[in-house]
């Protein structure tokens, strides 16, 4: 039922009705897995569900190559690692760039989705694969937001959770900087109301500008400064008598490169859709508020943050640690790199993930705790 | 020789040759003062030279109204407070929006300036007013950068300095976020290469976008979140089935308001010119490097920072404190407000400025120290 190891598999999940009441007809979710499934697909098993970040994809063995594999922290000789592409993305799951049932791109017809919608779609994909439960869900950034929602929407399906570099809801600052990114895309004349996919032009300039901004929130200012400082780009003079766009500091060239790279692999409308979902991230919505929602979580959850994270400052993970109903552990990455440290500080992440796996083999699971409370059968 | 109290006075300073070798012909610097001058204009006196931030003006009694006035920390019954408008700005000093000698606006003919150029022009304005020395120079943000350059360019003219919420040079992160602001203006079709002043249109949309970004670096994420969180703008629903530009979170409306307000009072080309000067801020340039330059400063200098400053993080002020040749004192504002705390945390700033003034009346001045070393006559 699971796809062959490492291969991209697309799972049809039928219509998805979003939290805000729109419908995505004939949706699909892309999935990959590594390692053999052991145990009961609908009971105790060895599945680790890995949730990717904003522009990530199902290739968790690539973007987390130091973490996932035989003998690594997420040891594919022992664990069955599954990674799904988020609803709204462009790596196999249905999003604005995907084909609508009428044959054109979804474009502006793709509705606004929430983190919860992503998790509902992902759960439907696991249903279609015959997987009723997983040993753990884990992820960072947008993947951490999805992980949190897994523990609230489907606590009976998740034994343990690891939430990295995210918050219980979008902060106003995050909404501000994320909305600036959305605006830079939608104000690109090539945006065409979101229906550019068949026009031969696309808002690449807007997407690149959005990514440049985003990158300044993904990387710590210490790391960026250590790398570039006030150095000029090689062969250019940013200190000339007149400002000129082609006479840059090295950091400008670096950011432009980051922006351009994204336009070569990502769709602008998908970027808007996923960024909008981050704006709407709020585990408290409709659940009596933020802390009541967090307190209701009985899935044992480990929280990880980065000391220099600009986008999701560490106090937001401390907030989670104080308010989660069943905190399994807390860990802090110490790094000049900022938010992206969970992707690049391999040595620290290795230790953290090994600790997490060990804890999941010792502490009672959310299901065991709930069963002891008589909340649902184990 | 000084203008009458509170009135805007414009001082002609002739041609300014910039650090990068361009010429600004027939330049002028705007100035205001409060309190009577006592002492010798060219020797010991009671002048406090206040340096404004990026979009500030000579109205220091307005933007620092809790700080400057009779009986206040900068007590105008005792001190003669002088505030000049920076070269490149649009509040009376020569900038891109000013009239060129040929009668049109300077526009794209206005060269790239540095913080040093601002200080050279300001010193020329004081010369024209007959003022050879000041008791102290002080300022925050861009005003702090100018203050630092005063102590390096004219140590014999400054007895004490107070440098607030700034760094010894632009960091790569600052250059990154500041360049994003410049780009949002210069990519506005109304920019017209910088020569829009007589065209009847101006890049207000780009300037507003720049300000929205900047504002997210001026305000701490804690304060913005405390005020707005995930609240919708009144009467709007940012959680509807489709994303819509007119259905906003409250923080989006707030940032749009900040952007719009700036377009009503500031010129886009001046914003570019001053932001470019911040990109070029580097006290080490041509002086044997950053720390050698800082170490050479003999003017007793107090350093102030804000614990939650995103734009000029506190470690940058700690760097100044470790490397300044003559550190007078160090103080930290504790505030969720971030960078702007030096403008809005009036109670803390009152204490800090009273301490600074008291220290300048106790510690030997830079001139006294230099004279003791035989560097120049007192």
């Amino acid at each position: 039922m699971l796809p062959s190891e490492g291969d991209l598999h697309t799972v049809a999940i039928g219509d998805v009705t979003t939290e805000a009441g729109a419908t995505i007809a004939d949706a699909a979710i892309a999935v990959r897995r590594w390692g053999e499934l052991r145990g009961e697909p609908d009971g105790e098993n060895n599945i680790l569900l890995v949730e990717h970040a904003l522009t990530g994809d199902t290739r968790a063995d690539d973007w987390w190559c130091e973490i996932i594999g035989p003998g690594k922290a997420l040891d594919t000789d022992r664990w069955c690692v599954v990674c799904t592409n988020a609803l709204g993305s462009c790596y196999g799951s249905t999003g604005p760039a995907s084909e609508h049932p009428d044959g054109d791109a979804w474009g502006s017809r793709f509705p606004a989705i929430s983190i919860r919608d992503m998790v509902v779609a992902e759960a439907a994909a696991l249903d279609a694969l015959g997987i009723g439960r997983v040993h753990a869900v884990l992820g960072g950034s947008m993947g951490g937001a999805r992980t949190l929602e897994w523990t609230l929407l489907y606590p009976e399906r998740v034994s343990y959770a690891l939430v990295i570099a995210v918050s219980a809801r979008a902060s106003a600052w995050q909404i501000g900087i994320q909305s600036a990114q959305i605006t830079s895309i939608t104000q690109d004349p090539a945006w065409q109301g979101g229906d550019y996919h068949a026009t031969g032009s696309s808002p690449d300039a807007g997407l690149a500008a959005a990514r440049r901004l985003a990158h300044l929130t993904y990387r710590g200012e210490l790391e960026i400064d250590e790398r570039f400082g006030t150095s000029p780009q090689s062969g250019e003079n940013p200190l000339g008598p007149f400002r000129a766009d082609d006479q840059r500091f090295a950091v400008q060239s670096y950011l432009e490169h980051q922006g351009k790279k994204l336009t070569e692999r990502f769709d602008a409308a998908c970027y808007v859709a996923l960024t909008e979902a981050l704006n709407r991230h709020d585990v408290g919505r409709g659940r009596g508020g933020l802390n009541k929602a967090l307190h209701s979580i009985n899935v044992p959850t480990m929280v990880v943050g980065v000391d220099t994270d600009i986008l999701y400052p560490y106090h937001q993970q401390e907030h989670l640690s104080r308010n989660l109903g069943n905190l399994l552990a807390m860990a802090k990455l110490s790094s000049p790199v900022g938010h992206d440290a969970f992707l690049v500080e391999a040595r620290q992440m290795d230790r953290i993930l090994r600790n997490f796996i060990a804890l999941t083999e010792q502490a009672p699971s959310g299901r065991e705790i709930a069963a002891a409370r008589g909340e649902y059968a184990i």
Side-chain angles (χ1 to χ4, degrees), chain A residues 66-310:
Chain A
E66 298 96 340
I67 300 299
I68 296 171
K72 295 180 183 174
L74 304 190
D75 184 353
T76 50
D77 289 338
R78 292 190 57 214
W79 301 99
C80 177
V81 174
V82 172
C83 184
T84 60
N85 185 222
L87 182 72
S89 180
C90 50
Y91 289 116
S93 294
T94 304
S98 307
E99 195 176 286
H100 184 275
D102 71 7
D104 294 329
W106 273 89
S108 67
R109 297 176 294 180
F110 194 83
I113 59 172
S114 67
I115 301 294
R116 298 184 197 182
D117 295 328
M118 295 178 191
V119 172
V120 167
E122 190 173 24
L126 294 194
D127 286 339
L129 293 168
I131 299 171
R133 293 185 186 176
V134 301
H135 182 70
V137 184
L138 63 154
S141 199
M142 190 183 86
R146 291 153 75 198
T147 300
L148 261 184
E149 284 291 352
W150 261 105
T151 67
L152 281 153
L153 289 167
Y154 304 107
E156 74 285 3
R157 300 182 68 166
V158 179
S159 297
Y160 302 92
L162 173 61
V163 171
I164 306 167
V166 77
S167 56
R169 64 158 168 82
S171 76
W173 195 92
Q174 288 157 2
I175 294 172
I177 198 81
Q178 289 163 177
S179 297
Q181 294 167 46
I182 290 174
T183 300
S184 83
I185 293 171
T186 60
Q187 291 193 345
D188 184 326
W191 171 249
Q192 303 167 72
D195 293 310
Y196 57 85
H197 293 92
T199 66
S201 78
S202 56
D204 287 348
L207 178 58
R211 180 63 162 195
R212 293 198 298 271
L213 276 188
H215 200 77
L216 288 167
T217 67
Y218 298 159
R219 292 284 163 155
E221 48 93 27
L222 291 167
E223 189 241 14
I224 292 180
D225 196 60
E226 285 163 11
R227 291 174 64 181
F228 303 105
T230 57
S231 299
Q233 176 65 7
S234 176
E236 301 180 21
N237 174 20
L239 301 172
F242 289 83
R243 195 191 62 77
D245 293 338
D246 59 356
Q247 302 293 321
R248 300 166 299 174
F249 292 95
V251 67
Q252 291 175 273
S253 169
Y254 163 73
L255 292 170
E256 287 173 22
H257 176 69
Q258 296 295 328
K260 184 161 183 301
K261 261 202 323 190
L262 188 72
T263 65
E264 290 161 2
R265 71 171 181 88
F266 212 78
D267 176 75
C270 293
Y271 192 94
V272 169
L274 300 186
T275 303
E276 174 71 13
L278 285 176
N279 277 355
R280 295 178 181 215
H281 173 50
D282 184 353
V283 300
R285 185 168 56 244
R287 293 170 178 150
L290 208 60
N291 292 344
K292 191 170 172 196
L294 291 176
H295 190 70
S296 76
I297 297 174
N298 59 35
V299 176
T301 300
M302 180 169 174
V303 177
V304 175
V306 185
D307 58 355
T308 56
D309 194 334
I310 293 170

